[in-house]
Every structure is written in C-alpha cells, then in structure tokens.
Amino acid sequence: MFSNNDEAAINKKLPKELLLRIFSFLDVVTLCRCAQVSRAWNVLALDGSNWQRIDLFDFQRDIEGRVVENISKRCGGFLRKLSLRGCLGVGDNALRTFAQNCRNIEVLNLNGCTKITDATCTSLSKFCSKLRHLDLASCTSITNLSLKALSEGCPLLEQLIISWCDQVTKDGIQALVRGCGGLRALSLKGCTQLEDEALKFIGAHCPELVTLNLQTCLQITDDGLITICRGCHKLQSLCASGCSNITDAILNALGQNCPRLRILEVARCSQLTDVGFTTLARNCHELEKMDLEECVQITDSTLIQLSIHCPRLQVLSLSHCELITDDGIRHLGNGACAHDRLEVIELDNCPLIPDASLEHLKSCHSLERIELYDCQQITRAGIKRLRTHLPNIKVHAYFAPVTPPPSVGGSRQRFCRCCIIL
C-alpha cells in the first residue's frame, strides 16, 4: 500500500532527475524503503540506474533464484557489479536468466554459491562478454569445461578466483589462458590437481599477471614457478604457502625477474634458506608484506638483508622461525623500514627472542601489532616497557602463571595458560 504522497512538497520542489540522483547514493535497504513511500518514489527508487552495483551478502539466507531473476529484469543493462557471495539458494537457472538480462556485467562474485555448475559459466560466456572480474571460490562443481567456456566468451577477463575448485587441471588452465591472455589476478588456492605444466601455460600466455595465489597446490615445484617468474615480470604478489617442494631457486628467480614484487607468502616452505632470501632482498626493494612462518632454516642473516634492502616493509611474519635471535630483531629495529613503515611483526614460537628485543622495536612508531605467543623469554614487564613508547600497540601473548600457593586442605588449584591482549 502506498501513501498519497505523490504531491508532497519534495516532489514538487525537486525535479525527478535530481531525486533520481539522490537515490543513486542509497544502499539496497534504504532504496527498498524509499520504494514503499509513494508511487512516485517507487518508480524512482527501482529505476535500473540506481542498481548498477548490488551486494547481497548481508541477505544471503533470503536470496533464492527468483530474487536474482527479478533483479536482473529490473536492472537489465544498467547492472555492472553484483555480489551473491554465500547465497546458497542461487543455481544455474537463475544465473542463466541473469546473464541474458545483464549483458553489461563487469564484476560478478559467486563465492560459495555451491549449487552452480559449468552451466553457469556457459551462460556467462554466451551473454556476458564484458565480464572482467569473476569469483568462483568454493564452487566445487566447476570443472575444466567452465574455464574453456570463459576463454571462448569472456576475452576481457582480468581477475579470476577459482580457489578450492579442485576438479580443475592443467587442461582447464591451458584453455583459459589461451583466450584470456589479459589476466592480471589469478587465484588457484586449493586446486590440488595442478602441476607444474599448468604454471608453464600461465607463464607463456599471461605477461600482464600481477597477482598469483597457489596456496596448498602441493604438487607445484621449482620448475613451474620459475616459468612464472620468467614470463610474468609484472608480478607483484605471490602466495606459495604450503608448496613445500619449492627451494631457494624460486627466490633467486623472483629476484632476477620480478623487481616489482610487493607481497610474498611462503609459509611452511621449509626448504627456503638465508641464501635465497638474500638474493630476493637485494633485488626486490618494493617488498611490503612477507609471510615466512615455519621457514625454519632462516636466521638473523635474512633479517639483516631485509633491514638493509627493503625500506617499504610493513608486515613481517616470522612465527616458528626458531633460529631468529635478538640480533636479528635489533637490525630490523634499526632498519630503513622501522620508523615509518613497519606495522605488524609476528614472532610466535620464537624461543630465542628476549625482552631486550622489544627494546629494539620501541622506535617503530608505525607498529600497530606484535604477536608473541609462546615466546618463553618474553615477560609482562618487557611488554609494559614497550607500551610506554608505543601506547596504541596491540600485543598478543600468553604466559604460564606463577604456581599458586596450596589452598586449604593441602590441594592445589589447577591453572591453565592465560592469554593476554594488551
């Protein structure tokens, strides 16, 4: 039921074009509320031009196929960006109707839409040639057929996320890159069937690649990643965490071929050593984030090289790097990145780090967070001294409490280790 407000003062004073412009700044919920005010506002609020970007994540439990179909009919060619992340009720039929009606779509997020299959990518290929960004993470029914379809119908594709689509193999990657050579970001996290051959196709056909995620692609070795380094000189972000077969040869290849590298995540790559990180640091001066968790062979030597050659370093994880000592932290605290850049440092399970190491970090004025779980030589007193210099820092740590005195009756209370966030 609409109220009789079509003749309200605001409708008389402001032209419809201006009201339409005002509505264009409103979110989905507010637009729907405005649509219930009056007939005039219903027309304006539901005008397709106000629905160019839609994110339905907050309503995922209520979104079914018919909702997507209705939106596509309402928005038509206006819609440029749609997120259906987590909308489990949306399937292939709804997305076929969507693709037919919204042929100007450029960004589509289907992360976690587990009902969709290759049929959805076939529809996108047939009708949505302007698609640039597509997220299919955790859509586990996706196979090589989807990548072949995207290659044939979506030549402008720049970003593709197919994390945890573990049916994808090298054949799908080969088909994809032959038609989508302009890819700039590719996430293959959890695609456990991929081997080095798939990376060789990427290195040969994707010279514009900037971001690559290969986390837990367990079959990847040096051969495949070296091909990426040699073919993708614009690479800025590489995640190879969990790729336990890689060695220093990868760090050498990155240093020699990818000078723009900003983010490197190689957690649990236990074969990497100081030798490789020395080459990397001396050649990749734009490094901002490094995850070296469980790179158990690195020592203070790596920190010394980073402190000298990487002035932009902001986030550094050294958790479970048990050979790091106070000397390495001292060099890091005196390094080029320390005063204005370093924001996060993670030192969990670094048993050789004492309170003195925290003193070396007190001049890191940008430091926002430090992780110190299970650092046996760190004390509460050391943390409090650090906080006198950096009052806004968040320190995450835990300590074994002092054994309490016997209670009445001679028995002792049982205490667990306590976690503190200071």
Side-chain angles (χ1 to χ4, degrees):
M1 297 293 292
F2 296 116
S3 61
N4 189 24
N5 288 332
D6 289 351
E7 298 303 318
I10 190 171
N11 293 329
K12 293 181 177 180
K13 295 288 186 180
L14 297 180
K16 291 182 179 180
E17 293 77 10
L18 184 53
L19 282 171
L20 195 60
R21 176 63 173 163
I22 294 171
F23 284 178
S24 70
F25 293 98
L26 302 181
D27 58 35
V28 171
V29 174
T30 309
L31 277 171
C32 290
R33 288 172 178 166
C34 289
Q36 300 177 59
V37 170
S38 68
R39 289 185 176 85
W41 278 32
N42 180 269
V43 173
L44 292 172
L46 298 182
D47 187 274
S49 63
N50 290 324
W51 297 77
Q52 297 183 43
R53 296 172 179 83
I54 304 174
D55 187 345
L56 298 177
F57 176 71
D58 291 337
F59 317 101
Q60 54 183 283
R61 293 184 179 179
D62 302 318
I63 301 301
E64 297 178 353
R66 59 183 179 80
V67 175
V68 175
E69 293 175 3
N70 290 337
I71 287 175
S72 71
K73 292 173 183 177
R74 169 67 66 176
C75 300
F78 287 105
L79 191 61
R80 297 292 189 277
K81 180 177 180 180
L82 174 65
S83 176
L84 297 172
R85 182 164 62 103
C87 295
L88 301 178
V90 177
D92 293 329
N93 290 336
L95 285 167
R96 177 177 177 80
T97 301
F98 162 82
Q100 290 174 325
N101 291 325
C102 302
R103 303 192 181 203
N104 290 321
I105 191 73
E106 297 177 2
V107 179
L108 181 60
N109 188 340
L110 301 176
N111 187 322
C113 296
T114 53
K115 282 188 176 181
I116 71 170
T117 71
D118 294 329
T120 286
C121 289
T122 300
S123 298
L124 294 174
S125 171
K126 186 174 181 180
F127 301 110
C128 302
S129 60
K130 297 182 180 180
L131 192 64
R132 294 181 180 274
H133 295 186
L134 178 61
D135 188 343
L136 296 170
S138 299
C139 298
T140 53
S141 295
I142 293 300
T143 73
N144 293 336
L145 294 176
S146 287
L147 303 190
K148 185 176 184 296
L150 293 172
S151 174
E152 294 172 349
C154 304
L156 302 181
L157 200 63
E158 296 179 358
Q159 177 176 318
L160 178 64
I161 301 174
I162 50 173
S163 300
W164 310 113
C165 297
D166 56 5
Q167 296 190 58
V168 170
T169 70
K170 62 180 178 64
D171 294 333
I173 299 299
Q174 181 181 21
L176 174 72
V177 298
R178 284 182 172 172
C180 302
L183 278 170
R184 294 174 53 83
L186 182 60
S187 179
L188 305 173
K189 178 180 178 180
C191 294
T192 53
Q193 293 197 57
L194 294 184
E195 302 171 340
D196 290 332
E197 198 69 24
L199 301 193
K200 292 178 181 179
F201 293 134
I202 297 171
H205 294 280
C206 300
E208 302 299 316
L209 196 67
V210 173
T211 300
L212 179 62
N213 190 331
L214 298 169
Q215 184 174 339
T216 66
C217 294
L218 303 179
Q219 299 186 60
I220 297 301
T221 72
D222 292 344
D223 288 343
L225 271 174
I226 288 174
T227 305
I228 292 288
C229 296
R230 291 174 176 171
C232 307
H233 298 290
K234 296 181 180 181
L235 196 67
Q236 295 182 22
S237 176
L238 174 64
C239 178
S241 293
C243 299
S244 56
N245 294 319
I246 65 174
T247 71
D248 285 341
I250 297 306
L251 302 180
N252 294 332
L254 285 168
Q256 294 168 8
N257 297 282
C258 304
R260 302 182 188 180
L261 193 68
R262 295 188 301 107
I263 300 173
L264 178 64
E265 300 177 28
V266 285
R268 304 181 302 283
C269 296
S270 57
Q271 297 190 58
L272 303 180
T273 73
D274 293 329
V275 175
F277 284 112
T278 295
T279 300
L280 181 78
R282 290 178 177 177
N283 291 277
C284 297
H285 306 301
E286 297 184 16
L287 281 166
E288 297 176 359
K289 177 183 178 182
M290 298 185 70
D291 185 354
L292 311 184
E293 181 174 348
E294 293 187 39
C295 292
V296 294
Q297 295 195 55
I298 65 172
T299 70
D300 295 334
S301 178
T302 288
L303 297 193
I304 292 171
Q305 296 300 320
L306 293 176
S307 69
I308 295 172
H309 300 291
C310 301
R312 299 186 180 185
L313 197 61
Q314 298 175 15
V315 179
L316 178 62
S317 177
L318 300 167
S319 298
H320 296 272
C321 296
E322 298 185 358
L323 302 180
I324 298 296
T325 73
D326 177 62
D327 189 53
I329 302 301
R330 178 174 61 83
H331 279 88
L332 189 66
N334 293 327
C337 67
H339 300 291
D340 300 317
R341 292 281 184 169
L342 194 62
E343 297 176 358
V344 176
I345 183 167
E346 298 177 356
L347 297 168
D348 302 334
N349 293 92
C350 292
L352 303 181
I353 301 297
D355 281 347
S357 297
L358 303 185
E359 294 292 318
H360 303 319
L361 298 174
K362 64 185 182 182
S363 61
C364 299
H365 303 299
S366 297
L367 201 59
E368 299 175 356
R369 177 169 59 86
I370 184 169
E371 303 280 345
L372 297 166
Y373 291 112
D374 216 17
C375 293
Q376 293 92 333
Q377 298 191 53
I378 297 294
T379 68
R380 294 175 184 269
I383 292 174
K384 288 181 179 179
R385 284 194 295 271
L386 177 65
R387 283 181 59 85
T388 61
H389 297 279
L390 303 172
N392 296 321
I393 192 173
K394 292 183 179 179
V395 183
H396 295 180
Y398 61 62
F399 303 92
V402 178
T403 303
S407 60
V408 178
S411 63
R412 293 178 182 268
Q413 293 178 318
R414 298 180 65 185
F415 283 76
C416 63
R417 307 192 79 172
C418 56
C419 174
I420 64 168
I421 301 178
L422 300 176

